[in-house]
Structures are given as structure tokens and as C-alpha cells.
């Protein structure tokens, strides 16, 4: 038998090695390129304690970390704390993770936890209360050793570990507290500094955390750039660089993903899912642990944008529960979920989807009843209806602008003339805070049912942080008492039952109109191997894996 040509065999072997090396190199190169994300979250501050909004929670989680975090099942897992336990009814002990360093190289210790608690509780003055509600029950904090924190509370706080799943830990910079202005100014000065990936120090006052990515640069409301923290205590981050492009327009985010300008785009409208799939994009979705709703101003005697049919000023109709119930009864949630969300959502009757811990089995979304709704309006003294401006953000939540239009059409059937007023979230949020609206569409998420109830429906209390999202200034002392009792009950069936009963009571008064629990939808391109959804709706580089072959 003739032997093969040795030169040809060597050539083939060499060629095979080159091909395999190129495949390996190109895969590694793809993984080593920066990740580009188009996000609807408009980051307006680098202060992790200023505003309890998903844009801060999502984007700043690359830089900062929590003592405890919630996994995709909303279960508590160790973060910067490796364990925690209640040592008495009013005392908790947290054991901290060793060998963790901040981005400036300084070690993470219990003193940083103390600084964080004190900064939130005593220093940061957020317009909506920020994170103060999470620490308002803390009486004192002590440090037996550098890796142990002991927290004494005013009364029993069985849910304290859950509160720490929302609080980012900051580094104590020295005497005093860093101001929001210093953090923002430091971030802005870094934006003109060294490019991403150089490892150069960030500007003075810029964010310094323990997270998997270091701050690189920031342009308020436009862009956030990060670089990998190669000294991270956990798993090595997949991407050496990450760039978030803030794109508020859903159509523009979809276009950026379609053309390959970005690798990931969040808050994809349900109507665009089919076309994106046809163009090769992949889709990930999950039901949201959140609520989208309509909220009334029930405090003022008269309201901007609320008039009689001929434009005359009228008393605030939303102070009457009958009017609120009539409008809820005239809201067609089926159209919102089936048509606008294309099935990527669930009709809502309470703050969390039915069946989750703390929800009420008695509350279920109902079909609209226009005749009964019109009768309730007449009973309340508005037989001919009235006119109202319905405000809301455009492009912040799936289906927000379209939902406002659909609600206007439904309410017209009972004589309520609605003028939709959708605007970019930054504009809407500013005007809402200034009291320019009497009725608006909103949304919020939270770690648990009681967290949302406490923020959205509890009576506003600047000192305690309750009612931080209660922009309508609704007050119900009986509900406040029931909620406080439920929150003082240890985790388990008794707590869930108490929360359900509190929810039944408050929703009978209709302070808000629950609309739907939308599904978070994210699209991703060919450079991303997978995207792990989280029910809290976070958009992070840590949720992506890179294609490596």
C-alpha cells in the first residue's frame, strides 16, 4: 500500500490548526469586544441613594452591590453579606464577605455599611424619600469587628434583610458624607477623562463601589460607560467594556437592535417581537413583579386639567370614591393586555400578580360595565361626566402611550372626556412632582407586596419614607394600621394573610386603578449567547453571556 504524501499531510494539519485557531480567536475576540445596550432607563444621577427608581437600581448595580440580593425567583441570596440572623426581636446580625475591595483598592468593611445606613437615614434629602423607608426603623448600628454589623431596630422588623436587598453599599470617603452634587460632578468630570479600558482612575467624587464593573464615564440622560473590574471578588465579568445608550423611543431601540448598532435592547414593544424574530434577533421575556396603574390626586379641592364639559372649574371629582370606582369599572383591561401588549401581560386588580405571596384571592380583574359605571357617576353628582387631562410617560413602559389612548376611548362611553398628554418620562416626572396633573398613568416595582403597598398607598410620611410614591396624597389610617401590623409579622402564611386583608381593604376604596402587570421583553443579537430575565425588570451586562464559538 502506498503511503500518503507527508508534505500534504503536514500542510493539511497546519491548515486545520490555523482554522481552529482562527475560530477560537474570533470567538474570543467577539467576547472581548464591548457590550452595547440600548436601554429605556434614563439615568439622571450617579447617587445610588437619591431616587428609588429602576434606572438607578438597574444601571448602578454594575458599580455598587447590596448586602443581600434577590434572585430570579425573588429569593434572598448572599451578596456582600454571607449570612444574617435575628438574634432577638429587635436585633439583627450580618456577617460580611471577606477579601472584597472597592474600585479604589480600599477594603470593604462594616464601617462602609454604617456609613451607608447613616447617609440614607440622616443625610440624603430625596424629593420622594428615596430609600429612607428601608432604614427608618433602625435605631442604632454597631460594629463588633470589621466583618460584623449589628443592627438594633425600633420594634420588630422581621423583613429587614429584604430591605437590604434594595440598598447599595457605598464606601466611606472620609469625614462627612458625599453629596449628590459631588457624585454627579465627579462622574461628569470623568466623562472627559481617560477612555474606557485604560484602567485609569476615575474623577474625584465619581462612583466607587465593589461591583463587577468600574465607572468610566457618564453623560446625564444619554450614556453610561463601564469597564470590567478585574479584581472583582465574584465570577469574572463576561465583557471588558459595557456601554449603555439611553434611547427613550421604543422604535429607536428596536431599530438599533435590528441594524446591529446595539447587542441588547430592553423594553421591546410586544408588537415588534414577531418582526425582530424574523430579522434574526432573539427574545427573552418574563412576567413582571410590578404594577402599572392610574393614580388620582385626592388631596386638592380643584385640579389642573379637570373641568366641566364646557371648561368651567369644578370640585375635585376624585375625592369621591364613587367616581374612582366608576372609572375603574369603565376601564377595559382586556384591550390593554390582548391588543396593546399582544398577550405579553396580565390584567391587574392589585399590586402583584395573583398567587404571589401577600396577594388577595378575592381580587380579580373584571370586564368593564359601562352602564353601572355611568350610574355611579350620576350618583356621585356627575351625570354628564366631566373633562380631564390624563398624563403619562411615553416610551418608558410597554404600552404606556397606547394605553392612555385606549383608556380615553373607554371612558368616553360614560361621558368622561379625556385629553391624553403623554410626554418623555423626564418631562412627565418633573410636571407630576410640580403638581401639574390631577390624574396620571404610572408604574412601579418592588421586592414584595408590602414594599409596593408601603410606597404607593400608605399615607405620606417624610420621616418614615412611607408613601414615597403616593403622589396623589391618599390617606387611609385603617389601612396604615393593617399594613403596619402585617409588616411586623414574621415571614410566612400569617404575614401573607395579613397583607391580603390589608389589600382588600384599601382596594375597596379604589385609590388607584390597577391596569396590568406587563411582561419584560428584551431582544438581543448574534454576539449575545443568552439573556437571563429577572422579574424586577433590571437590564444589566451580568444578565448576558457572550458568544465564544
Amino acid at each position: 500500500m502506498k503511503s500518503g504524501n507527508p508534505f500534504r499531510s503536514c500542510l493539511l494539519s497546519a491548515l486545520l490548526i490555523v482554522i481552529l485557531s482562527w475560530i477560537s480567536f474570533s470567538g474570543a475576540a467577539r467576547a472581548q469586544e464591548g457590550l452595547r445596550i440600548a436601554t429605556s432607563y434614563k439615568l439622571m444621577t450617579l447617587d445610588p441613594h437619591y431616587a428609588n427608581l429602576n434606572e438607578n437600581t438597574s444601571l448602578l448595580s454594575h458599580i455598587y452591590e447590596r448586602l443581600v440580593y434577590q434572585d430570579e425567583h425573588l429569593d434572598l441570596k448572599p451578596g456582600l453579606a454571607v449570612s444574617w440572623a435575628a438574634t432577638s426581636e429587635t436585633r439583627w446580625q450580618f456577617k460580611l464577605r471577606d477579601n472584597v475591595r472597592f474600585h479604589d483598592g480600599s477594603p470593604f468593611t462594616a464601617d462602609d455599611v454604617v456609613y451607608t445606613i447613616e447617609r440614607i437615614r440622616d443625610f440624603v434629602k430625596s424629593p420622594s424619600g428615596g430609600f429612607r423607608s428601608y432604614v427608618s426603623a433602625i435605631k442604632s448600628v454597631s460594629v463588633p469587628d470589621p466583618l460584623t454589623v449589628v443592627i438594633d431596630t425600633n420594634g420588630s422588623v422581621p423583613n429587614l434583610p429584604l430591605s437590604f436587598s434594595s440598598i447599595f453599599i457605598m464606601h466611606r470617603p472620609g469625614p462627612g458624607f458625599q453629596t449628590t452634587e459631588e457624585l454627579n460632578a465627579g462622574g461628569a468630570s470623568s466623562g472627559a477623562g481617560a477612555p474606557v479600558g485604560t484602567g485609569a482612575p476615575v474623577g474625584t467624587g465619581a462612583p466607587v463601589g465593589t461591583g463587577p464593573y468600574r465607572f468610566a464615564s457618564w453623560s446625564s440622560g444619554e450614556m453610561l460607560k463601564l469597564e470590567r473590574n478585574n479584581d472583582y471578588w465574584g465570577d469574572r465579568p463576561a465583557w471588558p467594556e459595557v456601554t449603555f445608550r439611553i434611547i427613550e423611543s421604543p422604535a429607536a431601540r428596536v431599530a438599533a437592535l435590528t441594524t446591529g448598532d446595539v447587542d441588547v435592547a430592553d423594553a421591546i414593544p410586544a408588537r415588534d417581537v414577531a418582526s425582530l424574530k424574523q430579522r434574526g434577533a432573539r427574545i427573552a421575556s418574563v412576567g413582571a413583579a410590578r404594577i402599572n396603574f392610574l393614580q388620582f390626586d385626592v388631596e386638592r379641592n380643584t385640579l389642573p386639567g379637570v373641568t366641566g364639559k364646557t371648561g368651567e372649574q369644578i370640585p375635585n371629582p376624585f375625592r369621591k370614591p364613587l367616581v374612582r370606582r366608576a372609572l375603574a369599572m369603565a376601564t377595559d383591561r382586556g384591550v390593554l393586555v390582548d391588543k396593546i401588549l399582544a398577550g405579553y401581560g396580565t390584567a391587574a386588580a392589585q399590586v402583584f400578580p395573583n398567587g404571589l405571596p401577600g396577594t388577595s384571592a378575592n381580587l380579580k380583574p373584571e370586564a368593564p360595565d359601562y352602564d353601572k359605571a355611568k350610574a355611579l357617576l350620576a350618583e356621585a353628582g356627575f351625570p354628564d361626566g366631566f373633562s380631564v387631562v390624563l398624563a403619562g410617560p411615553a416610551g418608558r413602559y410597554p404600552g404606556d402611550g397606547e394605553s392612555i389612548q385606549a383608556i380615553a376611548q373607554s371612558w368616553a362611553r360614560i361621558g368622561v372626556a379625556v385629553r391624553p398628554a403623554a410626554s418623555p418620562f423626564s418631562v412627565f416626572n418633573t410636571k407630576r412632582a410640580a403638581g401639574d396633573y390631577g390624574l396620571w398613568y404610572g408604574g412601579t416595582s418592588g421586592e414584595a407586596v408590602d414594599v409596593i403597598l408601603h410606597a404607593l398607598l400608605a399615607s405620606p410620611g417624610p420621616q418614615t419614607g412611607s408613601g414615597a410614591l403616593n403622589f396623589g396624597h391618599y390617606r387611609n389610617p385603617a389601612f396604615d394600621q393593617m399594613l403596619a401590623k402585617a409588616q411586623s409579622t414574621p415571614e410566612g402564611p400569617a404575614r401573607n394573610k395579613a397583607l391580603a386583608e390589608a389589600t382588600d381593604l384599601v382596594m375597596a376604596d379604589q385609590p388607584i386603578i390597577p391596569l396590568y402587570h406587563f411582561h419584560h421583553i428584551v431582544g438581543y443579537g448574534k454576539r449575545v449567547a443568552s439573556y437571563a430575565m429577572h422579574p424586577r425588570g433590571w437590564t444589566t451586562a451580568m444578565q448576558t453571556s457572550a458568544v465564544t464559538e
Side-chain angles (χ1 to χ4, degrees):
M1 175 187 258
K2 253 182 169 180
S3 62
N5 187 323
F7 176 76
R8 182 171 179 270
S9 297
C10 289
L11 183 62
L12 288 174
S13 297
L15 183 60
L16 181 60
I17 290 172
V18 169
I19 293 173
L20 291 175
S21 298
W22 170 250
I23 292 174
S24 176
F25 170 78
S26 60
R30 283 196 298 272
Q32 288 304 307
E33 292 175 6
L35 180 70
R36 305 159 301 168
I37 300 177
T39 182
S40 59
Y41 292 138
K42 193 170 185 177
L43 184 65
M44 302 301 292
T45 178
L46 295 175
D47 187 338
H49 302 152
Y50 184 75
N52 191 4
L53 296 171
N54 240 18
E55 42 263 71
N56 279 26
T57 301
S58 183
L59 301 188
L60 295 183
S61 66
H62 295 79
I63 301 168
Y64 297 101
E65 294 183 290
R66 312 165 182 87
L67 294 183
V68 183
Y69 79 93
Q70 283 183 297
D71 66 11
E72 65 276 13
H73 305 294
L74 301 186
D75 293 329
L76 297 182
K77 300 294 182 182
L80 291 177
V82 294
S83 66
W84 50 90
T87 57
S88 76
E89 189 174 331
T90 59
R91 174 169 289 183
W92 283 86
Q93 178 177 273
F94 289 79
K95 289 291 186 179
L96 306 184
R97 192 176 297 278
D98 198 4
N99 297 319
V100 175
R101 291 192 173 274
F102 285 92
H103 299 155
D104 63 359
S106 56
F108 160 66
T109 71
D111 191 45
D112 300 304
V113 179
V114 175
Y115 171 79
T116 295
I117 293 171
E118 292 177 344
R119 185 175 188 270
I120 294 171
R121 187 187 61 195
D122 306 328
F123 181 73
V124 177
K125 305 299 182 185
S126 169
S128 61
F131 295 83
R132 194 170 298 126
S133 63
Y134 297 119
V135 299
S136 60
I138 294 176
K139 181 180 180 181
S140 63
V141 188
S142 57
V143 179
D145 62 67
L147 294 178
T148 304
V149 176
V150 174
I151 297 175
D152 289 294
T153 60
N154 294 306
S156 176
V157 186
N159 227 20
L160 189 66
L162 180 63
S163 295
F164 279 104
S165 72
S166 293
I167 295 173
F168 288 124
I169 302 300
M170 288 184 66
H171 177 47
R172 185 186 291 277
F177 297 98
Q178 274 187 297
T179 67
T180 300
E181 292 74 19
E182 286 172 341
L183 284 165
N184 290 339
S189 68
S190 295
V196 176
T198 63
V202 297
T204 302
V208 174
T210 60
Y213 289 91
R214 299 173 70 249
F215 176 84
S217 64
W218 172 63
S219 179
S220 176
E222 297 180 8
M223 187 173 293
L224 174 68
K225 291 187 177 182
L226 307 163
E227 62 180 18
R228 180 162 53 203
N229 175 14
N230 290 318
D231 297 321
Y232 184 55
W233 61 265
D235 294 335
R236 177 181 171 85
W239 308 92
E241 303 171 7
V242 180
T243 300
F244 282 92
R245 290 173 52 193
I246 288 80
I247 303 177
E248 293 190 89
S249 164
R253 289 195 302 276
V254 169
L257 180 61
T258 301
T259 60
D261 287 344
V262 299
D263 305 301
V264 176
D266 66 14
I268 296 295
R271 64 175 179 269
D272 293 316
V273 168
S275 62
L276 279 172
K277 287 182 176 179
Q278 290 175 354
R279 296 170 185 172
R282 283 166 290 176
I283 299 294
S285 70
V286 70
R290 63 171 304 116
I291 176 70
N292 283 74
F293 54 87
L294 300 183
Q295 190 171 35
F296 307 97
D297 184 326
V298 298
E299 183 178 52
R300 290 179 284 178
N301 293 323
T302 59
L303 297 174
V306 181
T307 65
K309 286 296 188 67
T310 58
E312 74 279 12
Q313 190 175 73
I314 61 173
N316 179 358
F318 307 134
R319 300 185 74 172
K320 299 188 175 185
L322 284 178
V323 172
R324 303 196 296 264
R325 291 175 196 151
L327 295 176
M329 200 170 288
T331 301
D332 192 343
R333 297 169 180 81
V335 167
L336 305 182
V337 170
D338 297 334
K339 303 297 183 183
I340 294 174
L341 298 180
Y344 283 92
T346 306
Q350 53 190 312
V351 298
F352 260 16
N354 291 46
L356 288 179
T359 56
S360 170
N362 300 323
L363 296 173
K364 298 177 182 178
E366 298 178 350
D369 187 333
Y370 299 109
D371 291 336
K372 189 172 181 180
K374 193 167 179 60
L376 288 178
L377 273 187
E379 185 180 347
F382 298 95
D384 299 320
F386 50 86
S387 298
V388 60
V389 172
L390 175 53
R396 177 173 177 81
Y397 308 111
D400 49 14
E402 298 94 329
S403 292
I404 292 172
Q405 296 283 347
I407 291 166
Q409 295 175 21
S410 291
W411 288 4
R413 298 180 62 170
I414 64 170
V416 176
V418 175
R419 181 163 65 87
S423 57
F425 179 72
S426 55
V427 175
F428 161 76
N429 200 34
T430 300
K431 289 189 173 184
R432 179 179 60 181
D436 290 354
Y437 306 130
L439 171 68
W440 55 88
Y441 167 107
T444 188
S445 63
E447 305 89 336
V449 163
D450 64 297
V451 173
I452 294 185
L453 291 175
H454 188 262
L456 188 61
L457 299 177
S459 298
Q463 298 305 315
T464 63
S466 63
L469 300 178
N470 186 354
F471 299 112
H473 302 283
Y474 171 77
R475 288 175 172 82
N476 186 331
F479 166 70
D480 292 338
Q481 292 176 7
M482 292 182 71
L483 179 60
K485 181 179 178 181
Q487 290 184 305
S488 66
T489 304
E491 291 285 347
R495 180 188 179 91
N496 292 336
K497 182 175 183 293
L499 286 171
E501 291 173 349
T503 299
D504 285 336
L505 176 78
V506 74
M507 290 313 303
D509 206 23
Q510 207 74 66
I512 61 170
I513 300 178
L515 298 176
Y516 50 73
H517 314 284
F518 67 71
H519 294 179
H520 296 296
I521 307 174
V522 167
Y524 57 99
K526 60 184 179 180
R527 295 181 60 240
V528 176
S530 65
Y531 188 91
M533 296 295 297
H534 196 285
R536 294 288 304 280
W538 299 328
T539 304
T540 73
M542 293 81 79
Q543 293 167 254
T544 68
S545 63
V547 172
T548 57
E549 53 180 66

